[in-house]
Amino acid sequence: MEYLAILISFIFINNYVLVKFYGICPFIGVSKDVESALGMGAAVTFVMTLATAVTWMIYNLILAPLNAGYLKIIAFILVIAALVQLVEIIVQKFSPSLYKALGIYLPLITTNCAVLGITMDAIIIQNYGLFKSIFAGFSAGLGFTLVLILMSTLRMKLNFEKVPKYFRGVPIAFITGGLMAMAFMAFAPTIIFKLFPNL
Amino acid sequence: MSNKNSKINILVRGIILENPVFVLLLGLCPFLGVSNQVINSIGMGLAVLFVLICSNVAISLLKNLIPDKVRIPAYIVIIATFVTVVELVMHAFTPELYNNMATFIVLIVVNCIVLGRAEAFASKNNVVDSVLDAIGMSIGFFFALFLMATIREVFGSGTFLGFRVPILADNPIRVIGSPAGAMIVMGLLLAFFNFLKDYLSKRSAKKVESLEVVENSLDSKELNTEEAV
């Protein structure tokens, strides 16, 4: 039950892009067509799930027992950078077709705020256990993918609209994103408490 | 003279013409995240100023020692070190501000402005220029953040730095204070900056044109006088 609450919370209520603004750069940059949105979303979800697993272990098994919690930023960003590199090599070795599909987006993930954001959120702020952290990473990735795909379909439609000169491109994308965020505001935290009163 | 001019140019261009947020679209995540209150924006602006100056100085000093192949991880570690310093200092001295935006301070590590300036400027230029560049860019970031936070706080919650604004305090436009409003205000500001850029470039083009016209007419006058002689 708690897992379902995490899923709903990270996809709809605390959506990483629309509510917390993590990963807004790919949201604006890579949302021009559905295919690349799907590729980016899949790659980010994969790295987020792995990154939460590895950083949880590093923080709780190495840094915390040694009282070296203050090293968390350096440790986490190095883990994420190494992980992205590793994923790139593994995918290239075992599934060249997937590598071709994700290839360009993989290196971009290191500097995606959403990955560092979920590790900080799940491990430091929420203090989840190992499996909950991994699940939170996966859910946040799903939320990111959902919004990216929605946005890319909207932007493909926008291509055929008459947009005022100065609003073309990024400004209208932001306003569209804002209207979408307004729709997501309907998912209030009270939904969770109504669905799961015993939480 | 031209040397002095280029130094001033390095300092000034980050503010409007190469504004990191509105023109280069860098560092949007912490920008939107902390723009709900003016006090947060000041804290964030100072944090970015410190990290950017320190990382630019460190990287421009170490640029010959870092092998080319591992430069990005090396830059990230340098930046992460200074972000840790900022995080610990803010946690100790301004705990309230720190609680408001804890994760966003950490996210300065992956802020494209800092890494972007390290890669594009500090790794190629000397220390003095790098410091000027860092100051200019962070003033540009601070200016953008302050503008955005002022709009969002004044209209969204009817206050400015905690003081009440007469009419808006009783009827604030709440949506502007919410995340959705942040994106809409951002879209409008970007459109305004597009307009401003267009207007400025047109005006400077006109100036150049009129100067050329004057020069041409001077030339023709000289020619005429020569012919007359």
Side-chain angles (χ1 to χ4, degrees):
Chain A
M1 268 312 165
E2 278 179 39
Y3 284 88
L4 196 61
I6 289 177
L7 187 73
I8 294 174
S9 159
F10 275 103
I11 292 183
F12 294 113
I13 296 164
N14 282 321
N15 187 290
Y16 261 28
V17 180
L18 295 179
V19 178
K20 296 203 162 181
F21 306 118
Y22 299 168
I24 204 116
C25 296
F27 174 67
I28 297 297
V30 199
S31 64
K32 278 172 192 139
D33 59 294
V34 178
E35 252 170 63
S36 49
L38 201 62
M40 185 71 183
V44 168
T45 310
F46 188 61
V47 173
M48 275 169 126
T49 316
L50 265 182
T52 39
V54 178
T55 48
W56 190 93
M57 287 178 208
I58 286 187
Y59 186 76
N60 284 299
L61 301 180
I62 300 175
L63 293 181
L66 290 176
N67 257 334
Y70 61 90
L71 282 176
K72 61 183 183 288
I73 303 175
I74 300 176
F76 283 15
I77 192 71
L78 277 180
V79 165
I80 291 168
L83 210 62
V84 170
Q85 198 75 44
L86 195 73
V87 168
E88 205 179 332
I89 294 169
I90 291 174
V91 172
Q92 193 179 13
K93 180 92 179 153
F94 290 102
S95 168
S97 59
L98 186 66
Y99 180 74
K100 231 178 206 173
L102 298 183
I104 356 160
Y105 306 119
L106 279 173
L108 288 178
I109 297 172
T110 311
T111 53
N112 186 336
C113 307
V115 183
L116 190 61
I118 184 67
T119 57
M120 294 307 275
D121 255 7
I123 298 164
I124 311 289
I125 293 175
Q126 304 279 358
N127 218 345
Y128 285 145
L130 176 60
F131 291 105
K132 263 192 199 166
S133 296
I134 296 173
F135 193 72
F138 177 67
S139 319
L142 278 190
F144 177 79
T145 314
L146 174 78
V147 170
L148 211 60
I149 291 172
L150 283 178
M151 186 67 184
S152 63
T153 50
L154 280 175
R155 280 185 84 173
M156 278 167 94
K157 289 221 157 138
L158 265 179
N159 286 341
F160 302 106
E161 297 292 330
K162 261 194 185 163
V163 178
K165 187 179 161 200
Y166 297 115
F167 280 90
R168 260 173 234 156
V170 181
I172 196 73
F174 262 109
I175 292 176
T176 316
L179 295 175
M180 206 152 81
M182 232 184 255
F184 269 69
M185 277 163 75
F187 299 107
T190 44
I191 293 176
I192 284 199
F193 293 116
K194 280 206 175 129
L195 281 176
F196 313 107
N198 52 349
L199 262 184
Chain B
M1 183 66 193
S2 72
N3 191 25
K4 208 176 180 185
N5 268 348
S6 74
K7 289 230 185 311
I8 292 172
N9 185 31
I10 290 172
L11 188 66
V12 170
R13 71 178 171 194
I15 296 170
I16 293 212
L17 277 181
E18 280 185 38
N19 189 295
V21 178
F22 289 133
V23 180
L24 304 178
L25 291 176
L26 296 174
L28 292 175
C29 162
F31 175 75
L32 290 171
V34 300
S35 65
N36 53 346
Q37 282 181 327
V38 177
I39 185 78
N40 289 356
S41 79
I42 294 172
M44 191 59 168
L46 291 178
V48 169
L49 177 78
F50 174 78
V51 173
L52 199 52
I53 290 180
C54 291
S55 66
N56 259 11
V57 167
I59 287 164
S60 76
L61 285 174
L62 294 172
K63 63 178 182 268
N64 295 327
L65 295 176
I66 299 173
D68 215 30
K69 270 191 181 165
V70 293
R71 66 179 194 284
I72 300 284
Y75 295 165
I76 290 183
V77 173
I78 291 171
I79 294 166
T81 312
F82 291 118
V83 172
T84 307
V85 171
V86 169
E87 196 215 1
L88 294 175
V89 167
M90 284 187 87
H91 203 160
F93 293 105
T94 55
E96 211 174 294
L97 201 59
Y98 176 81
N99 287 337
N100 282 349
M101 46 184 210
T103 4
F104 289 108
I105 293 290
V106 174
L107 288 177
I108 298 176
V109 179
V110 287
N111 187 330
C112 325
I113 298 176
V114 184
L115 192 60
R117 289 334 281 178
E119 168 74 9
F121 199 89
S123 61
K124 298 185 187 96
N125 290 283
N126 61 27
V127 181
V128 179
D129 282 0
S130 302
V131 171
L132 289 178
D133 179 69
I135 294 174
M137 280 291 154
S138 19
I139 290 174
F141 181 75
F142 185 76
F143 160 72
L145 192 54
F146 191 78
L147 180 71
M148 178 88 170
T150 308
I151 293 174
R152 282 188 69 197
E153 198 184 327
V154 167
F155 288 100
S157 49
T159 56
F160 179 76
L161 278 170
F163 298 109
R164 288 161 58 88
V165 176
I167 301 161
L168 284 161
D170 300 323
N171 326 286
I173 311 165
R174 290 243 180 265
V175 75
I176 292 183
S178 73
M183 288 209 202
I184 292 174
V185 173
M186 182 70 190
L188 295 174
L189 281 176
L190 280 174
F192 175 70
F193 257 74
N194 274 348
F195 165 75
L196 196 69
K197 230 173 32 180
D198 205 45
Y199 175 76
L200 287 179
S201 67
K202 256 184 203 161
R203 212 179 60 168
S204 61
K206 230 181 217 169
K207 236 183 208 167
V208 170
E209 224 168 61
S210 59
L211 272 178
E212 275 172 1
V213 168
V214 170
E215 273 173 12
N216 283 343
S217 62
L218 277 178
D219 283 351
S220 57
K221 245 185 199 165
E222 274 173 16
L223 278 178
N224 285 341
T225 46
E226 272 171 21
E227 273 171 15
V229 170

